[in-house]
Amino acid sequence: MAIPQSFIQELLSRVDVVDIVGRYVQLKKGGANFMGLCPFHSEKSPSFTVSPSKQFFHCFGCGKNGNAIGFLMEHAGMGFVEAVQELANQCGLQVPQDDISPAERQRQAQQKQKAETLSDLLEKAGDSYRKQLRAAPKAIEYLKKRGVSGEVSKRFGLGYAPAGWHGLASVFAEYDNPQLEECGLVIVGEEDGRRYDRFRDRLMFPIRNVKGECIGFGGRVFGDEKPKYLNSPETPVFHKGRELYGLFEARQALRDMGYALVTEGYMDVVALAQLGFANAVATLGTACTPDHVQKLFRFTDAVVFSFDGDGAGRRAARKALDAALPLATDTRSIKFLFLPSEHDPDSFIREYGPEAFARYVGDATPLSRFLIESASEGCDLGQTEGRAHMASNARPLWSQLPDGALKRQLLSEIAALVQLDARDLADIWAQEAARTAPMARRAPAPANSQPPEWDAPPSWDAAPEWAEASPAAYQPQDSSGNWRGRRELGRQRKPWGKKGEEWSPPPLGPRPTPVSREDQAARLLMCHMEFMEEMTHEDFNALARKEDARSSLFRWLEAQFQETGPRPWALLREQLRGLPHEMLADKLMSGPHGQPEGELPELRKELRDVLNRIQISHIDEMTVQVVRKASSDPTAAQKLRDLYARKQVLEAQLRNSSTSS
């Protein structure tokens, strides 16, 4: 979304950076400026200043500086647009969106209003759960047993959901409000339509986004009942594949301690905060995703994943490795901590102390070593075959890494382990990438060309030797010259109907044309032109690379988007009149699947998957072209490596998308 610079200047003139920063940092007047402890690094004497005259903050210790928008981006982990919208809401301003249609603007406003309403309902439920905790001896006893103080319980907003089926009916006067079901608080029976609370007799953990808004809940039982943890379902405000429990509460500790500790459960996060590790967060009952890792890197450049040392823990760590590899740049640290199978972080600290746990974290397995351990698992490096197997396992992992010193050093390390020169290993991997890429489809032969001998139909002019004994029985042609089977020529074919009834096959209509990925992408973009804002340069090149009607349509859509912004299909249809691709667009939008249906997040995900698959096909085509020119192109090996690395990233995104859905 393009935001006019004039609006940004007006917004900054209306907000007070002292007020914005003061909500997060305790400031004291010091001359013309305000002083405080820097929220971006740990310090004992204040070196962080905020200037009301310049509307600017600056830390003389770590060098962080900027305006109110920059502070929200750095401290709250917001994106630029999100920070602008947050400040605009505080000032009562409407962010101008001249580049989108009125219908889309209205849709966004409705979506935002719905999110705020659902979050308000969740906040109200959370308040009720916290009040119920005070009168729940069983829940209080459980927290005391786990060593959780009232202060930590309050910090995380812990509560208790009563055992009754309709506890929230006393909280919400309109218990039949459909939005209670939409935000995951209430379940409606499919058969009888009866409504009842989703969470009953559980310790409640509110899940907050980076702005501190309640977006869902996790509930834990007190005994051995199943499931032990129950999460809110996917809702318009809650997506477990993107959110991390405890991230809002851990923001300052992430900067103070210098790293994020990713654990496996809500209780781990709360217990670790009680024991001095307030930098812990947890995934929400799902495997770690690239969205999780990317969100953490907004707050810190170091992440430590903590898992049990058993088989399930190793499998979870491997999924975290796949999610982290594309983001493992040279300036980031990613480690994997495997605790003894009889311990979780809470029990380990209680038995050995926080210092021992801190040393254990410091000695955690770096990403590079865990990658090699994963690749060599089950491979006997003392045998030639085992080393070859390890090299084959390492290739898809290594290829996901972004180019840099880490990736190149790992290549040398892997090459040494498999007893190859690094350049030889790179060449082998490039050749393997080319060999496993799909073969390019053979171009159709010209209409007047003759097929090669091995494609020619068999000749029936000369009967085989075995036909000489009974030529009539084996004669393959009928009187009109059409080939017939032996049994067909001896007698009339039996009709399919009743005896004596003539049968003729029903007329066959034209075969339906299968929907191609390009058609699917075109339909999604014509229905939701605003999706083009999220397309990358590689996406557009893959769509518009050919000289055909579809590519022309994509180029026209891109030009329209750049000139006028997103527009609805009805308006696009009018603009298409008389253009060469009008007929194609009409055909695509009038078919049985012409108007894609579904929620916007689902459609965005569908388009992303389609574009990734189109890019992969494009990469396969380019790979074949590079291989054909390898003998005359000295840069072919590097090109193949680059192509394969890009393909691995796209395939990883598809796998993660499939897993999250």
Side-chain angles (χ1 to χ4, degrees):
M1 181 177 70
I3 302 176
Q5 189 65 31
S6 58
F7 175 80
I8 295 173
Q9 295 301 325
E10 180 184 358
L11 178 64
L12 291 174
S13 68
R14 292 206 185 190
V15 300
D16 185 356
V17 69
V18 177
D19 179 50
I20 300 300
V21 174
R23 298 174 188 177
Y24 303 91
V25 180
Q26 186 174 356
L27 298 174
K28 292 184 178 180
K29 184 74 168 166
N33 298 328
F34 287 81
M35 303 286 294
L37 295 176
C38 179
F40 304 113
H41 79 288
S42 181
E43 61 178 9
K44 294 182 179 179
S45 58
S47 60
F48 181 80
T49 66
V50 184
S51 170
S53 60
K54 297 179 181 178
Q55 286 295 301
F56 202 74
F57 71 88
H58 179 79
C59 177
F60 293 94
C62 66
K64 294 281 188 183
N65 60 77
N67 55 26
I69 297 173
F71 181 82
L72 289 180
M73 293 174 66
E74 289 285 349
H75 188 266
M78 299 182 187
F80 176 75
V81 174
E82 189 179 7
V84 170
Q85 289 176 332
E86 176 70 14
L87 291 176
N89 291 340
Q90 296 177 23
C91 298
L93 296 177
Q94 179 70 37
V95 180
Q97 301 178 35
D98 297 334
D99 56 343
I100 65 172
S101 65
E104 176 61 16
R105 187 181 298 113
Q106 182 180 5
R107 186 198 63 78
Q108 290 183 6
Q110 291 173 347
Q111 192 175 39
K112 179 183 176 184
Q113 179 61 44
K114 173 183 279 190
E116 291 175 350
T117 302
L118 297 182
S119 185
D120 288 343
L121 293 174
L122 291 164
E123 288 282 4
K124 190 173 182 179
D127 288 340
S128 173
Y129 293 145
R130 284 189 285 275
K131 292 177 183 177
Q132 292 288 342
L133 179 62
R134 301 169 192 164
K138 178 170 62 173
I140 294 174
E141 181 62 27
Y142 176 83
L143 290 173
K144 287 182 178 179
K145 183 179 177 181
R146 296 297 298 264
V148 179
S149 67
E151 181 183 352
V152 171
S153 176
K154 181 179 180 181
R155 179 184 172 195
F156 283 90
L158 303 187
Y160 172 69
W165 290 88
H166 305 99
L168 291 177
S170 61
V171 180
F172 298 100
E174 297 180 358
Y175 188 67
D176 58 350
N177 183 350
Q179 290 183 323
L180 291 177
E181 179 189 6
E182 191 173 8
C183 69
L185 291 172
V186 167
I187 296 175
V188 179
E190 294 183 2
E191 296 182 359
D192 54 13
R194 293 185 178 180
R195 307 170 71 85
Y196 55 93
D197 293 357
R198 178 180 298 275
F199 300 101
R200 305 178 304 279
D201 193 26
R202 288 177 180 264
L203 183 66
M204 298 298 291
F205 300 81
I207 303 167
R208 296 163 172 156
N209 60 19
V210 293
K211 294 190 290 185
E213 300 167 339
C214 185
I215 56 176
F217 289 97
R220 192 196 192 284
V221 296
F222 300 100
D224 297 326
E225 299 91 339
K226 301 295 181 181
K228 180 188 291 187
Y229 283 101
L230 180 65
N231 295 320
S232 290
E234 294 281 314
T235 70
V237 295
F238 176 59
H239 306 281
K240 60 185 178 182
R242 302 178 195 166
E243 302 296 339
L244 289 159
Y245 176 72
L247 181 59
F248 173 75
E249 293 81 3
R251 292 174 305 160
Q252 187 59 47
L254 293 179
R255 296 185 173 95
D256 293 343
M257 303 184 71
Y259 70 96
L261 181 63
V262 184
T263 62
E264 297 186 87
Y266 301 102
M267 205 61 221
D268 287 335
V269 173
V270 176
L272 283 169
Q274 180 71 53
L275 295 168
F277 291 86
N279 58 329
V281 298
T283 54
L284 300 166
T286 184
C288 186
T289 68
D291 285 337
H292 289 143
V293 182
Q294 183 68 61
K295 185 163 286 190
L296 286 171
F297 281 137
R298 290 185 182 180
F299 297 90
T300 179
D301 287 328
V303 176
V304 178
F305 294 100
S306 174
F307 298 100
D308 295 338
D310 57 9
R314 302 289 295 193
R315 289 191 294 273
R318 177 56 196 274
K319 292 180 179 178
L321 174 67
D322 288 335
L325 280 172
L327 301 167
T329 62
D330 294 343
T331 59
R332 292 169 174 171
S333 170
I334 300 171
K335 293 184 176 182
F336 297 83
L337 174 66
F338 296 100
L339 294 171
S341 56
E342 67 273 14
H343 282 295
D344 57 23
D346 179 20
S347 65
F348 185 95
I349 295 174
R350 293 186 186 281
E351 181 167 345
Y352 299 105
E355 295 81 9
F357 184 74
R359 288 194 299 270
Y360 216 76
V361 170
D363 294 335
T365 305
L367 175 140
S368 57
R369 196 196 321 162
F370 186 51
L371 184 152
I372 290 176
E373 289 177 3
S374 300
S376 58
E377 187 174 359
C379 302
D380 183 359
L381 299 185
Q383 300 289 332
T384 303
E385 290 82 354
R387 293 192 293 272
H389 190 186
M390 187 265 191
S392 179
N393 292 343
R395 179 172 65 93
L397 297 174
W398 178 86
S399 299
Q400 293 185 62
L401 286 166
D403 193 24
L406 173 63
K407 185 172 187 177
R408 299 188 184 192
Q409 289 180 76
L410 259 175
L411 177 65
S412 299
E413 190 170 344
I414 295 168
L417 286 171
V418 300
Q419 298 182 15
L420 284 172
D421 181 79
R423 186 170 297 178
D424 291 339
L425 180 61
D427 289 341
I428 290 171
W429 281 353
Q431 292 170 16
E432 188 174 351
R435 185 170 58 252
T436 56
M439 292 292 291
R441 294 180 180 177
R442 194 190 324 165
N448 58 354
S449 65
Q450 295 297 324
E453 287 185 2
W454 40 266
D455 271 352
S459 173
W460 297 101
D461 294 340
E465 293 180 1
W466 45 262
E468 293 179 0
S470 180
Y474 292 96
Q475 179 58 262
Q477 294 182 343
D478 60 15
S479 57
S480 62
N482 297 320
W483 183 83
R484 304 283 299 276
R486 176 175 64 85
R487 297 183 61 178
E488 289 292 309
L489 293 173
R491 56 185 171 81
Q492 185 70 23
R493 190 169 79 174
K494 185 176 180 179
W496 288 80
K498 297 179 181 179
K499 187 175 181 180
E501 182 180 296
E502 291 296 329
W503 176 85
S504 59
L508 296 176
R511 295 181 65 183
T513 303
V515 177
S516 69
R517 290 170 184 153
E518 287 77 6
D519 289 347
Q520 192 177 3
R523 286 169 173 168
L524 286 164
L525 291 172
M526 285 189 285
C527 275
H528 300 280
M529 200 176 175
E530 68 274 12
F531 290 176
M532 297 195 77
E533 187 172 359
E534 302 164 21
M535 289 175 57
T536 65
H537 183 67
E538 290 82 2
D539 292 331
F540 183 74
N541 281 349
L543 289 174
R545 68 186 186 276
K546 299 178 181 177
E547 292 300 327
D548 58 15
R550 281 169 181 77
S551 296
S552 298
L553 177 59
F554 287 125
R555 286 191 287 268
W556 180 81
L557 282 172
E558 172 70 8
Q560 292 297 309
F561 180 77
Q562 294 296 336
E563 182 178 347
T564 63
R567 296 196 170 189
W569 162 242
L571 186 55
L572 286 177
R573 179 64 192 85
E574 292 301 315
Q575 294 174 317
L576 278 164
R577 294 196 184 280
L579 297 180
H581 23 264
E582 176 187 8
M583 186 178 298
L584 171 63
D586 268 346
K587 179 181 177 182
L588 292 175
M589 297 298 284
S590 60
H593 304 289
Q595 302 287 334
E597 297 180 354
E599 297 291 332
L600 276 182
E602 296 175 358
L603 295 178
R604 289 179 190 274
K605 176 179 174 298
E606 179 183 349
L607 177 62
R608 182 70 267 155
D609 288 351
V610 169
L611 292 174
N612 283 352
R613 294 182 189 280
I614 292 173
Q615 274 202 58
I616 289 172
S617 297
H618 187 205
I619 289 172
D620 289 339
E621 293 175 10
M622 290 192 292
T623 299
V624 174
Q625 295 173 9
V626 173
V627 170
R628 287 174 177 170
K629 299 177 181 178
S631 59
S632 59
D633 185 0
T635 64
Q638 183 60 46
K639 289 179 180 177
L640 287 173
R641 285 193 288 269
D642 294 341
L643 288 172
Y644 186 76
R646 177 59 184 158
K647 181 177 178 180
Q648 288 295 301
V649 171
L650 294 170
E651 289 178 339
Q653 291 176 0
L654 287 172
R655 287 194 299 271
N656 291 326
S657 174
S658 176
T659 302
S660 63
S661 61

